[in-house]
């Protein structure tokens, strides 16, 4: 019998953290927003008689996914096996291609988006539907296996594709404590300009640095985390009311606290200062810090000016988005 070879595709967005990064690792709330314009995509094709082939042509990488997990394998290979096993499908006969328009290691959630696109495409290819929570849980499992203890905010926002309020859970507690995930309705659209320092700063290094400083002086760092959590709570309120000017001040306050945590950098602060001087409501680093990206909250009138100011201040890349 002749079978038609099918290809199925799916995608997932990038993300930014509006407020609460780092403190979210220590149980305080944070707010993340999807970046719907920049996406990662996955294609799953039937490949009868072949194994399980996974390719990332943009990175020049490809792997045959082994039947058993290996400590040195790529998280996406682990995730492919884990997802197919969960869906009750054989670990063979598929060719999977992943591509991303999201800058890698730039605080825009490229790894989590690739994972969510992969899980979605595999499920769709097998004719199964997974909830955002189920997608987020699979991606979290692969990130945890390879990166220690991420809070889970990245995999959650790219799977839900909506603004989210997030408080981490504890998967190692007995019984495991689930994360608190609430989707947020915005009272007014948020217009953001995102500036990339072009400096690669792996999140695990800045997270590790904060952990080392917290261990030396827990009282000081707990107080900073609590103050950041209070920013997230106040921001949630302002988002619901659409009070964007006040929200801008909160972002500035969050940046001060991130500087006190020691995760800012001169390159980030140059872009943040340029955005504020060009008339942004407020600006802060976003994500792990140490490099990576910053975001500025702007009006439509000032948007072009803020973009130009960021480019003039040395941004490697400037993105614009409106979150609704
Ligand atoms: O993945 P990034 O660089 O956007 O940062 C994640 C946010 C942190 O709070 C710094 C880490 C985490 O696991 O939540």
């Amino acid at each position: 019998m002749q079978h038609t070879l099918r290809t199925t595709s799916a995608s997932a967005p990038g993300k930014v953290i509006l407020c609460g990064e780092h403190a979210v690792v220590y149980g305080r709330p944070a707010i993340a927003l999807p970046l719907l314009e920049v996406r990662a995509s996955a294609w799953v094709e039937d490949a009868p008689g072949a194994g399980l082939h996974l390719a990332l042509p943009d990175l020049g990488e490809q792997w045959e996914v082994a039947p058993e997990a290996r400590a040195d394998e790529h998280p996406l290979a682990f995730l492919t096996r884990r997802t197919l096993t969960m869906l009750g499908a054989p670990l063979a006969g598929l060719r999977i291609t992943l591509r991303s328009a999201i800058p890698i290691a730039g605080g825009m959630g490229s790894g989590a988006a690739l994972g969510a696109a992969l899980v979605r495409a595999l499920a769709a290819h097998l004719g199964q539907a997974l909830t955002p929570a189920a997608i987020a849980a699979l991606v979290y499992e692969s990130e945890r296996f390879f990166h220690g203890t991420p809070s889970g905010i990245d995999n959650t926002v790219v799977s839900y594709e909506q603004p989210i309020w997030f408080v981490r859970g504890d998967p190692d507690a007995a019984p495991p404590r689930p994360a608190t995930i609430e989707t947020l309705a915005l009272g007014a659209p948020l217009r953001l300009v995102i500036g990339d320092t072009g400096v690669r700063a792996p999140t695990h290094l800045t997270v590790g640095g904060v952990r080392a400083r917290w261990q030396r002086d827990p009282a000081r760092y707990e107080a900073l985390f609590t103050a950041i959590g209070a920013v997230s709570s106040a921001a949630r309120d302002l988002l619901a009311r659409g009070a964007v000017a006040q929200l801008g001040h909160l972002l500035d306050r969050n940046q001060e606290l991130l500087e006190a945590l020691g995760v800012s950098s001169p390159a980030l602060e140059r872009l943040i200062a340029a955005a504020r001087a060009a008339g942004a409501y407020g600006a802060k680093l976003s994500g792990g810090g140490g490099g990576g990206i910053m975001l500025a909250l702007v009006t439509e009138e000032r948007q072009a000016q803020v973009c130009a100011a960021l480019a003039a201040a040395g941004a490697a890349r400037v993105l614009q988005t409106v979150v609704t």
Side-chain angles (χ1 to χ4, degrees), residues 5-19:
L5 298 187
R6 293 176 311 118
T7 302
T8 311
S9 66
S11 70
K15 72 97 201 4
V16 286
I17 295 181
L18 181 68
C19 52

Side-chain angles (χ1 to χ4, degrees), residues 197 199 264-276 294 309-310 313-314:
T197 59
V199 179
S264 189
S265 79
L268 281 165
E269 286 162 30
R270 200 159 46 240
L271 298 186
I272 289 164
R276 289 177 184 156
M294 51 70 69
L310 289 178

Side-chain angles (χ1 to χ4, degrees), residues 103 194-200 267 271 292-293 310-319:
I194 297 155
D196 186 349
T197 59
V199 179
R200 271 189 64 144
L271 298 186
I293 58 165
L310 289 178
R317 191 185 289 110
V318 178
L319 272 84

Side-chain angles (χ1 to χ4, degrees), residues 74-75 111 139-151 204 207:
H74 194 277
V139 177
Y140 186 59
E141 203 185 316
S142 74
E143 295 202 329
R144 233 164 77 79
F145 191 77
F146 292 93
H147 301 305
T149 52
S151 65
H204 71 270
V207 169

Side-chain angles (χ1 to χ4, degrees), residues 176-226:
R177 193 162 44 77
T180 303
I181 298 160
E182 291 170 40
T183 57
L184 299 176
L186 307 188
L190 281 191
R191 194 171 287 273
L192 298 174
V193 174
I194 297 155
D196 186 349
T197 59
V199 179
R200 271 189 64 144
T203 301
H204 71 270
L205 294 183
T206 52
V207 169
V210 171
R211 183 158 301 271
R213 294 191 285 281
W214 170 74
Q215 278 163 347
R216 282 199 295 275
D217 190 351
R220 172 178 154 77
Y221 283 83
E222 285 294 331
L224 287 169
F225 298 145
T226 296

Side-chain angles (χ1 to χ4, degrees), residues 24 27-32 140 150-157 164-169 179-182 184 232 236:
V24 71
R28 275 54 163 203
I31 296 172
Y140 186 59
S151 65
I153 192 168
D154 280 22
N155 49 284
T156 301
V157 66
I164 58 152
W165 168 265
F166 182 86
V167 183
R168 75 173 302 169
T180 303
I181 298 160
E182 291 170 40
L184 299 176
S232 294
R236 178 183 178 142

